[in-house]
Amino acid sequence: VGDRLTLIEISDAGTPEAPQLQVRMLAGAVEQDALQQALAQMLNLHVDLTPFYEFARTDTILWNTVQRLYGLRTFASDSMFEALVMCIIEQQISLRMAHAAERALLAWAGESIDYEGETYYAFPTPEHLAAATVDDLKPMKITFQRMARILDIARNVAEGTLDLEGLRHLPPDEAYTTLRQIKGVGHWTAIWTMIKGMGYYGNFGSADVGLRAAVNRYYFGQSGKAARDVVDSLFARYAPFDGFAAFHTLMRWALENYPFI
């Protein structure tokens, strides 16, 4: 929060119909109003899922998925820089490999707080990463091209030539266009950066191979991946809630196949 690190614990104190969260500060000290503002952003409290739930109830197959995840929200990244870097790490590799790479990055560069025998890391700042080299990032075990891309973005943000935080104040279509102009950022990366950084649930569609597998399983009762045109036409019929529908479908598949998440 600002330039201070704090460790907090958030627990559920309500119901899906009347959600309430209890926050406890475990270590570090920050001003309460600033913490509340940061938490509201990180917990995406501005996102109202009620209209989507009402819509999802009108489709039997979609509701069969949504009702299992009723109340699910994403955590927004602390910064748009963090969201973009995480998405670049996760491009075209398994979640297990991506999480291992992210843990390696945090252990190398992140500030940390020790609490009751555990170390908790914050995401490294652009300035910290801007001073790194590809050799520093080798423990992440991702491609050299991807490491170089992360370092380029960090340097541009640190030098002020790339304003990622400003994207949060733009209309979604403008934020998307700006992200797509960054080298190495395609549709999937741009949409997922907006989901993770802004709480904007855009439709990543058939660009996500996991979603293609989920569609084949839940909509057609088959294994393997659905054809790209089938996936895109399927979620197009859910507009303007196509992004929410795609997100919930993928999250069901992920939670059933990756229970460690």
Side-chain angles (χ1 to χ4, degrees), residues 194-207:
M194 295 170 69
I195 291 173
K196 291 187 176 186
M198 300 166 57
Y200 172 77
Y201 292 75
N203 181 14
F204 40 85
S206 64

Side-chain angles (χ1 to χ4, degrees), residues 127-231:
E127 291 75 17
H128 195 159
L129 269 179
T133 66
V134 168
D135 285 340
D136 292 324
L137 302 188
K138 281 184 179 179
M140 295 174 65
K141 297 181 180 179
I142 59 176
T143 65
F144 286 102
Q145 183 182 42
R146 207 164 297 169
M147 288 187 281
R149 190 171 296 146
I150 290 171
L151 295 178
D152 284 342
I153 291 171
R155 288 162 188 155
N156 289 335
V157 172
E159 293 167 2
T161 58
L162 177 60
D163 179 19
L164 291 177
E165 290 310 302
L167 299 180
R168 283 178 164 154
H169 307 294
L170 296 178
D173 57 340
E174 292 183 27
Y176 173 83
T177 299
T178 301
L179 285 167
R180 288 298 306 272
Q181 292 171 348
I182 300 172
K183 184 178 180 180
V185 176
H187 172 73
W188 183 92
T189 303
I191 290 296
W192 268 110
T193 297
M194 295 170 69
I195 291 173
K196 291 187 176 186
M198 300 166 57
Y200 172 77
Y201 292 75
N203 181 14
F204 40 85
S206 64
D208 193 296
V209 295
L211 181 63
R212 292 172 60 191
V215 166
N216 236 21
R217 178 184 298 179
Y218 304 133
Y219 284 84
F220 304 110
Q222 300 174 2
S223 59
K225 300 177 181 66
R228 295 180 68 103
D229 60 335
V230 170
V231 173

Side-chain angles (χ1 to χ4, degrees), residues 45-56:
L45 298 187
H46 65 285
V47 177
D48 181 10
L49 293 172
T50 304
F52 168 65
Y53 290 148
E54 294 174 352
F55 172 84

Side-chain angles (χ1 to χ4, degrees), residues 98-118:
H99 289 174
E102 290 158 359
R103 287 193 294 269
L105 176 62
L106 293 177
W108 171 78
E111 294 182 79
S112 63
I113 285 181
D114 292 326
Y115 179 77
E116 294 188 348
E118 297 286 342

